[in-house]
């Protein structure tokens, strides 16, 4: 029978020996999560905590079976007597298996400058101070959805710049389509990473993301897609029948937007002679839009040339901003070689040719959901305060050889002071002027604030 791991089995191996390593009389551990200074982007979108809480932390997280199973595992893995059987049985007996922890955090979707705490975590029962950092392993995995949401939003900023200058910004939500399902390491990554992208956009082919958004963020249909060809559905007709493959696509989907990969043989021939001549009348009489997809070559060069060819065949209109827009029946999507930098280069080259950003959408796969890591935004969770025998002590790390890894000290609050974000000790908060940014999200096994993707999108919106 398949069973998923319990919270007891979801920590780094070395943490199982930590309960006895704390000072005698230790009662309380206070830790915080932050994207440390020096990340790729200077601000971070907070997203994914609710998924982790609902999936792993809320409700009765501990039972006798999980204690016995994990004790057996750790005894064989590290050695007998290492697993904290008494500590976990105490949580089961006294708290009914609910985790005596408090997590305070900014609301999901909040955009926070780097080097600020995004959440704090502390134990609520003085007999289990070791529990706070036991769950570090899971909480630090927030780096992934936060980084995906941040990267997606930064790309959105770039596309919006060009839309504001050359086209219609209202089209932004379908300008970056998630092609990443096959390029990630797991179905769970596809789900939570794909949902992180949907904080900013509404186009996706990563169906697992819709499942996460529906089941964890109350959004029944978070993203949308269209019928689209792939190379197999073109090449299965044979090289001499490429036009028939395209025509069949239009016959099977006589209305709405559809996408046709068109570089199986010669992208320029497909645009000029097949779409632009053989099928031109059918394209123009169709109730919908054909999105032509190049899938090879140098993206800025290929995209610009493809749009120019299609424009010569289907015509351009010049918009109020002085940029050329293809006939509404034809558009282009570029899904090969797409990353933040290549999008900038493509849009800049289009702009130089007086081509509106309205003509193009982008598809992004592994670059969006997989080509990133924890160090992109320097995520870390660190202990900043410890209570021993009733007395609080500020603690921090300050490595001699790496001052960038210096951590914060004290029981921390995230505030806005005169419009500026600051992470400060609680005793430094001015209750009259400072705006408190943390809310209690989780306490003693209970999720206290249940977010919707709709609200998260509102917070992350680019103003």
């Amino acid at each position: 029978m398949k069973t998923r791991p319990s919270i007891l089995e979801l920590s780094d191996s070395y943490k199982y020996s930590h309960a006895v390593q704390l000072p005698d009389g230790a009662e309380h551990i206070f830790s915080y999560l932050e994207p440390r200074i020096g990340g790729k982007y200077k601000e971070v979108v907070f997203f994914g905590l609710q998924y982790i809480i609902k999936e792993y932390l809320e409700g009765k997280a501990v039972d006798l079976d999980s204690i016995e199973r994990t004790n057996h595992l750790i005894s064989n893995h590290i050695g007998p007597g290492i697993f904290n059987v008494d500590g976990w049985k105490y949580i089961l007996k006294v708290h009914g298996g609910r985790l005596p922890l408090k997590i305070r955090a900014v609301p999901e979707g909040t955009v926070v400058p780097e080097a600020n705490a995004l959440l704090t975590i502390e134990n609520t029962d003085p007999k289990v101070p070791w529990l706070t950092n036991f769950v570090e392993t899971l909480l630090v995995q927030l780096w992934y959805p936060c980084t995906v949401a941040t990267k997606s939003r930064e790309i959105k900023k770039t596309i919006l710049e060009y839309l504001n200058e050359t086209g219609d910004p209202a089209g932004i939500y379908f300008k970056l389509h998630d092609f990443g399902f096959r390029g990630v390491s797991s179905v769970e990554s596809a789900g939570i990473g794909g949902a992180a992208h949907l904080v900013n956009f509404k186009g996706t082919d990563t169906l697992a993301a819709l499942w996460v958004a529906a089941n964890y963020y109350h959004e029944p249909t978070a993203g949308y897609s269209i019928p689209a060809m792939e190379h197999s559905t073109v090449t299965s007709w044979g090289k001499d029948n490429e036009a028939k493959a395209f025509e069949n696509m239009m016959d099977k989907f006589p209305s709405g937007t559809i996408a046709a990969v068109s570089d199986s043989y010669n992208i320029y021939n497909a645009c000029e002679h097949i779409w632009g001549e053989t099928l031109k009348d059918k394209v123009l009489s169709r109730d919908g839009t054909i999105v032509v997809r190049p899938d090879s070559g140098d993206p800025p060069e290929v995209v610009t040339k493809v749009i120019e060819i299609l424009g010569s065949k289907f015509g351009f209109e010049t918009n109020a901003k002085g940029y050329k827009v293809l006939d509404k029946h034809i558009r282009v999507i570029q899904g090969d070689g797409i990353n933040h930098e290549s999008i900038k280069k493509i849009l800049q080259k289009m702009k130089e040719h007086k081509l509106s950003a309205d003509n193009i959408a982008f598809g992004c796969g592994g670059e969006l959901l997989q080509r990133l890591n924890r160090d992109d935004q320097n995520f870390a969770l660190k202990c900043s305060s410890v209570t021993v025998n009733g007395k609080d002590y500020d603690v921090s790390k300050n490595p001699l050889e790496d001052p960038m890894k210096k951590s914060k000290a004290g029981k921390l609050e995230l505030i806005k002071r005169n419009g500026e974000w600051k992470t400060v000790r609680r005793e430094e908060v001015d209750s009259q002027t400072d705006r408190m940014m943390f809310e209690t999200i989780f306490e003693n096994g209970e999720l206290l604030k249940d977010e919707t993707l709709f609200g998260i999108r509102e917070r992350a919106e680019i103003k």
Side-chain angles (χ1 to χ4, degrees), residues 5 80 146 199 315 352 425:
C146 289
V199 169
E352 292 166 1
R425 288 180 173 87

Side-chain angles (χ1 to χ4, degrees), residues 31-34 119 121 133 136 139-140 379-383:
S31 296
Y32 71 97
L33 177 76
E34 75 168 339
L119 67 76
I121 180 170
N133 274 41
E136 173 190 6
L139 289 181
V140 172
F379 270 86
L381 189 146
K382 297 299 174 188
C383 173

Side-chain angles (χ1 to χ4, degrees), residues 9 40 84 112 127 137 182 187 214 324:
E9 299 161 280
K40 184 175 182 180
N84 186 10
V112 182
K127 293 191 178 297
T137 309
R182 72 188 62 185
V187 173
K324 295 181 287 186

